[in-house]
Amino acid sequence: MNKSSHLAREIVETLALTLIIFLVIHFTIQNYQVDGTSMEASLHNNEYVLVNKQAYLFQPPARGDVIVFYWPVDTTKDLIKRVIGLPGDTIVTTSSTVQVDGVVLQEPYVKVPFNLEGRQWTVPANDYFVMGDNRQFSDDSRDWGFVPKSYIIGKAVMVYWPINQWQFINTYSSVFSTIKPSH
């Protein structure tokens, strides 16, 4: 094999490998810029997070997961919130508490416990109930209803920008550990 055909083969292999890596990353990871204060103190306005788009390929979302999804009111917009209720769960709010299937959540991620009014929801099959951590300033399932599973883009796993805010996103699984498994 002469030098020019060897070089051409190397270039083609490098380009093919680059394309494969690009496609794998494109279909598994997405970045998302937090817009607003609805997830404070966990996430802040203009932070960038990595979203695992394959997280729910073999398992459903869990309570406490922070997800990015298409907003059911306007699917051209993406939102980021915490999963509170799974299909079949009954969610009850008072002015300052959230209950899931009768268990009052002790939520260390909530800035100020706040709900406009006491309400009750039962999460339908294939839907999820989500809330922002900054309850006073969060437009979420309390206002516009449930998030269909098909609208979920993926699980937010880490803050990567700004670099001094780098962290894995805490799902606070212990907060939800006393609730019976999903139906």
Side-chain angles (χ1 to χ4, degrees):
M1 189 182 298
N2 64 28
K3 282 188 173 187
S4 63
S5 65
H6 182 69
L7 178 61
R9 182 174 156 239
E10 292 284 325
I11 290 171
V12 168
E13 286 176 353
T14 301
L15 291 174
L17 184 59
T18 302
L19 178 63
I20 290 169
I21 291 170
F22 169 79
L23 290 172
V24 167
I25 290 171
H26 178 73
F27 289 109
T28 59
I29 297 173
Q30 175 178 320
N31 67 335
Y32 176 82
Q33 183 179 12
V34 177
D35 182 18
T37 61
S38 73
M39 284 300 291
E40 286 185 355
S42 300
L43 301 172
H44 302 282
N45 191 40
N46 294 323
E47 285 183 333
Y48 283 86
V49 298
L50 284 181
V51 178
N52 178 350
K53 293 166 52 173
Q54 301 299 314
Y56 303 124
L57 196 57
F58 300 112
Q59 63 184 15
R63 295 179 195 100
D65 285 358
V66 175
I67 62 170
V68 173
F69 57 93
Y70 301 113
W71 186 28
V73 174
D74 179 356
T75 56
T76 65
K77 296 180 180 172
D78 300 341
L79 297 180
I80 187 167
K81 306 286 181 195
R82 187 176 302 277
V83 174
I84 301 297
L86 305 178
D89 285 351
T90 299
I91 313 296
V92 176
T93 59
T94 67
S95 62
S96 62
T97 65
V98 175
Q99 297 176 36
V100 177
D101 289 344
V103 176
V104 177
L105 301 181
Q106 305 300 318
E107 301 176 288
Y109 47 82
V110 171
K111 197 170 185 177
V112 176
F114 177 85
N115 296 299
L116 286 175
E117 58 187 50
R119 293 213 31 219
Q120 179 174 321
W121 300 264
T122 298
V123 184
N126 297 312
D127 284 355
Y128 293 86
F129 191 90
V130 298
M131 295 174 78
D133 292 354
N134 190 1
R135 301 283 162 80
Q136 285 181 285
F137 304 103
S138 179
D139 185 25
D140 52 38
S141 287
R142 296 171 297 170
D143 304 300
W144 39 256
F146 308 104
V147 176
K149 183 175 184 190
S150 62
Y151 284 25
I152 297 173
I153 296 167
K155 179 179 180 178
V157 292
M158 69 177 285
V159 175
Y160 71 91
W161 192 262
I163 199 79
N164 64 338
Q165 297 296 320
W166 187 97
Q167 65 175 326
F168 286 104
I169 296 173
N170 193 337
T171 61
Y172 294 93
S173 57
S174 62
V175 168
F176 303 93
S177 64
T178 59
I179 303 168
K180 65 185 183 309
S182 62
H183 311 274

